[in-house]
Amino acid sequence: MSDGAAYKVFTERKADITKMLPEQQYAAMDKNVKVNTVIAKAYNATTKKLDEAYFLTEAQKFMTKDESENLLKRVKASRALKDKDIATYEKLTLELNKDVSALNADQLNSLAWNFFENVTTKSSLETAVKWAQESVNKKESYANTDTLANLYNKIGDKKNAKIWAQKSVELGKAAGEDIANTEKLLKSL
């Protein structure tokens, strides 16, 4: 499955490695290596196409069908963002993130910020506002309050944009962050 001398040592020395790492962590690392290998082999850099049948066949050797299909969507969404195929990125990301309760504040903020930077569909941006709100609810920080302020501004809600930009500036100053862009947003409101 996974090529390379380093991976061979990793599998041959499993007993030694699991004396230092919990078995669960070893298994997660092993799965990650396998996933990355399958992705690399399934992707053709010349055509910028992913061989989906190959990906699913190989991934299902070490994960369930549902897991592999979900992962394929994530890979395709990530690839679409890199290729600036925003419509595909937007569609897949919305499908994948109907339930974001398991995501942490940073993951939610990353989703919301990527939508702020790349998406123009108002209904999708409103979903990103919800992700940013949930991020703030889980762990309020300069980064996620800035994201929330920028998203509110982008959808035309200047009142909430101003409230969150002010909060973001306060948090940023307290944390020693570079708040120049947030201050610029605040002045524009």
Side-chain angles (χ1 to χ4, degrees), residues 80-92 114 117-120:
L81 182 59
K82 286 180 181 144
D83 293 342
K84 295 296 181 192
D85 178 358
I86 301 308
T88 300
Y89 166 74
E90 179 180 353
K91 178 181 177 278
L92 290 171
N114 278 335
E117 287 189 314
N118 297 288
V119 173
T120 56

Side-chain angles (χ1 to χ4, degrees), residues 1 10 12 15 17 31 42-43 51 56 59 66 75 83 97 112 117 130 149 154-155 162-163 166 177 179 187:
M1 166 62 54
F10 178 74
E12 287 174 353
I17 294 169
K31 186 175 182 179
Y43 183 70
D51 183 339
L56 290 170
D66 285 347
V75 169
D83 293 342
N97 294 287
E117 287 189 314
K130 292 176 186 169
K154 192 166 182 175
I155 64 170
K162 186 173 184 176
I163 290 167
Q166 288 169 332
E177 300 278 353
I179 58 171
K187 287 179 183 154

Side-chain angles (χ1 to χ4, degrees), residues 128-145:
V129 166
K130 292 176 186 169
W131 295 335
Q133 289 169 333
E134 184 63 24
S135 174
V136 169
N137 288 341
K138 288 185 177 206
K139 182 186 83 180
E140 190 175 78
S141 70
Y142 166 69
N144 60 16
T145 54

Side-chain angles (χ1 to χ4, degrees), residues 93-118:
T93 301
L94 288 169
E95 283 176 23
L96 286 163
N97 294 287
K98 287 179 181 154
D99 177 12
V100 294
S101 58
L103 299 180
N104 68 36
D106 293 335
Q107 292 167 321
L108 286 163
N109 188 53
S110 180
L111 277 174
W113 185 255
N114 278 335
F115 264 46
F116 164 71
E117 287 189 314
N118 297 288

Side-chain angles (χ1 to χ4, degrees), residues 7-8 26 39 41-42 45 58 62 77 86 95 117 147 149 171:
Y7 184 75
K8 187 176 180 187
Y26 176 90
I39 292 169
K41 288 182 176 181
E58 293 303 308
F62 58 90
I86 301 308
E95 283 176 23
E117 287 189 314
T147 298
L171 290 168

